[in-house]
Amino acid sequence: MKTRKAAQKRDKILAAAAKVFKHKGYAEATLNDVALEAGTFAGSLYYYFASKEDLVEEVLNLGTSRVARLVTEKVAALPKTIGKVELLSIALRTHLALALERDDFALAYWKIIDQVPADIRARHASVPRAYGRFWKRLIEQAQAAGEVRADLDARIVSLMLLGSSIYALNWFHESGRYSVDELADILLKMTFEGISKAEAADNIATLKTAKSRVSAPSRRRAD
Amino acid sequence: MKTRKAAQKRDKILAAAAKVFKHKGYAEATLNDVALEAGTFAGSLYYYFASKEDLVEEVLNLGTSRVARLVTEKVAALPKTIGKVELLSIALRTHLALALERDDFALAYWKIIDQVPADIRARHASVPRAYGRFWKRLIEQAQAAGEVRADLDARIVSLMLLGSSIYALNWFHESGRYSVDELADILLKMTFEGISKAEAADNIATLKTAKSRVSAPSRRRAD
DNA sequence: GTCTATAGCGTGATAGAC
DNA sequence: GTCTATCACGCTATAGAC
């Protein structure tokens, strides 16, 4: 009895914390805010969590592990015979869909991960790191299969891809023009095919010229 | 006399604030931290700034206006005859170089922009918005010139590109394998040419199949 | 113009009633 | 197990010495 109901309330507090952290950030969110959102009182939280730091740590864990787990499982469940490019596409689409579905825990994660005390962040780093390696491996395997060009560093490519998705959290809500799925279409086309017009592909030779034109950035501060 | 020296100290305080905000965030950074870094005392700051909010607002402005101004100027100074793709390349390379040069003000901006009170963020939004429009216009012009494919939404493309660059702030320091310029090379190749191996380009047809395989994301929370 | 003392407030956390 | 009262602390901001 006791454990069952207590666990429910614990979950309720965690959900409330995610919601509050999501739009106030870590420092600005008070335990009173969380308690009100959860329908209880600040002092009562201490029966379920030892400290604010413990609470936020659990929110962080829920925020990352879910996306990482679901994407990983999805990929693992695909038939072995599937093409590597198709596999990458599915993974990217799944990731984007999960990242943008506006889950309080995932959103809270991106809002506060850079705000929590350094030791918490360090202790929590393993999940995102493993997820990053998972993406790097997907790219490497596609390269090994000869389906993705091998002259680009797999780690950089994976980080650029994830970066685009993550930043989308900041602007996606502004525009009702595209669904998550349409957004994924654009990102996939852009990623695999590039943005150059095919006929103008020889223009790419000019990239080298472009490079030489950039001088070292001025160190002068804005005045 | 008075104004000259006072202005110098003001600048010193701003630089100190950028440095402190950069690695403590907004709420966690105290005026005492800033004062110590600037070689003065917390109370003294109030001779130069009316409040902590005023101080952070000026740091934010310095953080964005510099990158936006330098990239915009660089592009404006290019010969009119230059190809649109080359122009885009130069802009992207300049942006990346500035964003990653680890200027305290720019880094502080990305660290704290999501932490400051909403009214400050709203008041400060004009510079980033104008910069976003600038990028969208670059893409649109390249599309109009027939150098970039026109079937991708210019706004989305520009946001994806900026997203990759911004996220690079989070991981670029970890790896000494590439210089900023080499990173820009990879991003440019990826962006313009795509990551598919040319010979495997017909695999792109499978993207449609990939799409249909993704079921709606489960709403179940991690347990 | 710059520093010191301190007011005033809100926070995380605790102790103990019930 | 849950709520209430309260402590101790650190913060922004101010007032006034010099």
Side-chain angles (χ1 to χ4, degrees):
Chain A
M1 287 302 110
K2 136 187 167 181
T3 30
R4 181 57 130 253
K5 223 169 115 186
Q8 278 182 349
K9 183 143 187 186
R10 223 184 106 94
D11 282 352
K12 194 170 177 184
I13 292 170
L14 281 169
K19 194 168 175 182
V20 173
F21 284 140
K22 170 186 77 171
H23 90 269
K24 288 212 172 186
Y26 176 67
E28 202 109 342
T30 70
L31 292 181
N32 195 32
D33 294 332
V34 175
L36 285 180
E37 181 72 35
T40 180
F41 301 84
S44 309
L45 301 182
Y46 285 84
Y47 177 72
Y48 303 93
F49 300 92
S51 66
K52 186 184 182 184
E53 300 201 352
D54 275 25
L55 175 60
V56 81
E57 198 163 348
E58 210 155 324
V59 170
L60 288 177
N61 283 327
L62 289 172
T64 47
S65 59
R66 182 171 160 276
V67 170
R69 183 170 51 82
L70 290 177
V71 174
T72 309
E73 285 175 3
K74 178 113 204 167
V75 165
L78 293 173
K80 306 283 182 230
T81 57
I82 198 170
K84 297 299 180 187
V85 163
E86 186 174 353
L87 190 142
L88 251 181
S89 310
I90 295 174
L92 197 57
R93 202 178 281 278
T94 309
H95 171 87
L96 205 62
L98 290 170
L100 292 182
E101 77 176 82
R102 317 206 89 59
D103 172 71
D104 281 348
F105 287 89
L107 292 175
Y109 173 82
W110 289 111
K111 172 92 179 183
I112 64 181
I113 184 59
D114 276 335
Q115 304 177 19
V116 297
D119 54 320
I120 294 184
R121 191 165 46 253
R123 218 174 312 134
H124 175 267
S126 66
V127 174
R129 283 180 89 86
Y131 191 56
R133 280 196 304 274
F134 162 79
W135 273 96
K136 182 179 166 219
R137 232 177 297 125
L138 282 188
I139 305 282
E140 284 171 344
Q141 286 167 2
Q143 288 174 326
E147 295 184 33
V148 159
R149 50 193 289 192
D151 62 325
L152 302 180
D153 184 284
R155 182 165 170 274
I156 308 287
V157 169
S158 65
L159 287 167
M160 298 282 192
L161 276 181
L162 289 176
S164 302
S165 312
I166 289 157
Y167 186 61
L169 284 174
N170 290 328
W171 54 263
F172 181 65
H173 66 282
E174 295 174 17
S175 147
R177 288 185 58 184
Y178 296 100
S179 67
V180 171
D181 220 50
E182 287 164 335
L183 194 68
D185 284 337
I186 299 178
L187 181 55
L188 284 170
K189 278 188 193 160
M190 202 175 142
T191 303
F192 285 106
E193 308 168 12
I195 69 169
S196 284
K197 202 155 185 176
E199 307 96 70
D202 46 335
N203 280 354
I204 290 166
T206 64
L207 292 187
K208 294 259 181 291
T209 331
K211 179 176 171 180
S212 66
R213 288 204 200 224
V214 177
S215 60
S218 148
R219 285 272 161 190
R220 194 165 51 84
R221 252 257 311 297
D223 49 351
Chain B
M1 287 301 110
K2 136 187 167 181
T3 30
R4 180 59 128 252
K5 224 169 113 187
Q8 278 182 349
K9 184 143 187 185
R10 222 184 107 94
D11 281 353
K12 194 170 178 184
I13 291 170
L14 281 169
K19 193 168 177 182
V20 173
F21 283 140
K22 169 186 78 172
H23 90 269
K24 288 212 171 187
Y26 176 67
E28 202 109 343
T30 71
L31 293 181
N32 195 33
D33 294 333
V34 175
L36 284 181
E37 181 71 34
T40 179
F41 300 83
S44 310
L45 301 182
Y46 285 84
Y47 177 72
Y48 303 94
F49 301 93
S51 66
K52 186 184 182 184
E53 299 201 352
D54 275 25
L55 175 60
V56 81
E57 199 163 346
E58 209 155 326
V59 170
L60 288 178
N61 283 328
L62 290 172
T64 47
S65 59
R66 182 170 161 277
V67 170
R69 183 171 51 81
L70 290 177
V71 174
T72 309
E73 285 175 2
K74 178 114 203 164
V75 166
L78 293 173
K80 306 282 181 230
T81 57
I82 198 170
K84 296 298 180 188
V85 162
E86 187 175 352
L87 191 141
L88 252 181
S89 309
I90 295 174
L92 197 57
R93 201 178 281 279
T94 308
H95 172 87
L96 205 63
L98 290 170
L100 292 182
E101 76 176 83
R102 319 205 90 56
D103 171 72
D104 280 348
F105 288 89
L107 293 175
Y109 173 81
W110 289 111
K111 172 92 179 182
I112 64 181
I113 184 58
D114 276 334
Q115 303 178 20
V116 297
D119 55 320
I120 296 184
R121 190 164 49 252
R123 218 173 312 134
H124 174 267
S126 67
V127 174
R129 283 179 90 86
Y131 191 56
R133 280 197 302 274
F134 162 80
W135 274 95
K136 183 181 166 216
R137 233 177 297 125
L138 284 187
I139 304 282
E140 284 171 343
Q141 286 167 3
Q143 287 174 327
E147 294 184 33
V148 159
R149 50 194 289 192
D151 62 325
L152 302 180
D153 184 284
R155 182 165 170 274
I156 308 287
V157 169
S158 65
L159 287 167
M160 298 281 193
L161 276 181
L162 289 176
S164 302
S165 312
I166 290 158
Y167 187 60
L169 285 174
N170 289 329
W171 52 264
F172 181 65
H173 66 281
E174 295 174 18
S175 147
R177 288 185 59 185
Y178 296 100
S179 66
V180 171
D181 221 49
E182 288 165 335
L183 194 67
D185 283 337
I186 300 178
L187 181 55
L188 284 170
K189 276 188 195 161
M190 202 174 142
T191 303
F192 286 107
E193 308 168 13
I195 69 169
S196 283
K197 202 155 186 176
E199 308 96 71
D202 46 335
N203 280 355
I204 290 167
T206 64
L207 293 185
K208 295 258 182 292
T209 330
K211 179 175 171 180
S212 66
R213 285 201 202 225
V214 177
S215 60
S218 149
R219 285 273 160 189
R220 195 165 52 83
R221 253 256 311 298
D223 48 350

